[in-house]
Amino acid sequence: MRPADLERVTVAEAADRYVELVRAKTVTGALSPATAEVYARDVATLVELAGAGTVLDDLTGEDVDALLLAFARRPDGRRSPASSASRDGAGSGSGPGSGGGQSPSSQARFRRSISALFKHAALAGWVQLNPMAAATVTAKQRGGLRPQRRALTREQAQGLIGAATEQAQAPPPRQGRRDQRTELRDAVIVLLLSTLGPRVSELVRANVEDFFTNDGVRYWRIFGKGGRTRDVPLPPGVDAVLQAYLEQGRTPASASGAGSASGDGKALLLSWRGRRLARGDVQAVIDRVQRRVDPEQRRSVTPHGLRHTTATHLLADAVDMDAVRRVLGHSDLSTLGRYRDELPGELEVAMRAHPLLRAKPPR
């Protein structure tokens, strides 16, 4: 029997009241406006998935499980074709196949948001019991619902690298202003991400002076997490494209010192206006290069997905684990396990080339 003071509000009514309360907390400084809008967006998604007319108290733990799984499968709207163009010449676009399932971090955020709603609902008398306590879907299960692996296959990665290299070697187009061309810069971004796997924050923080040559090999001194640095040698092909970019691709605006007052003049990656590229601009660059890839080899990927790609293929090619750890900038070998994705057919290849069954070399 329900208590007399239970208020059987619908999901939509509960959401409206809760969001109003959350936004009121921004006035007192208890919540930032950005955090409040995140809560509001997630609660609106809950209304959409559960049904506006559903009574909040009727939702069970099984219903919450279904909601969490439904959210995990939703397309990621942050990379929809309707997304606005990136500012300042970075370009825009969403690669083919974009709009996959939600990332684990988005799923965890959604769970926190609706948990906060149900906690308030229990205190306000909208539900008898908090159904989140009966939810059984684990974070691992939700994260496993991603429809695509994060790492590109060898063919997909080679297609992306090939498109970036061809773009760097192609003659500049005759149309358009010379100081607004970004082909070489875009190629450098894709090649560095695909072959060295830096964090996107490390990439956009890079300065020209961070690249140096020692005994004929160019290195990138990467400033990583926790104040740690690592010197990573560039593959020859990547070095050649970087050199072309430094000589031809950095815009006259930046070369003449525009933006130097804010420190942008030192940045490796610049927009055509001479400003340091932002983290959010990098995805648009990847998507733009992807459009040059053969459709048979093309698959949408994030900057972090290219970090997974680097780790996966270096390890699959039997590169020393400690060397891979140093390339990626991890302090512990055990962390590599999170960046190693399975590759189709890799077990068959390993068994065909088993070291104990190889023929002895002739004497």
Side-chain angles (χ1 to χ4, degrees), residues 217-241:
V217 177
R218 194 194 300 261
Y219 289 80
W220 176 13
R221 177 159 293 168
I222 302 176
F223 294 85
K225 286 185 175 180
R228 294 188 296 269
T229 63
R230 61 191 189 275
D231 295 342
V232 182
L234 271 60
V238 179
D239 183 19
V241 175

Side-chain angles (χ1 to χ4, degrees), residues 199 202 224-225 228 230 307 324-332:
R199 301 174 180 91
E202 296 169 342
K225 286 185 175 180
R228 294 188 296 269
R230 61 191 189 275
R307 183 167 166 82
V324 179
R325 176 192 67 80
R326 290 158 57 196
V327 167
L328 296 180
H330 291 307
S331 58
D332 196 322

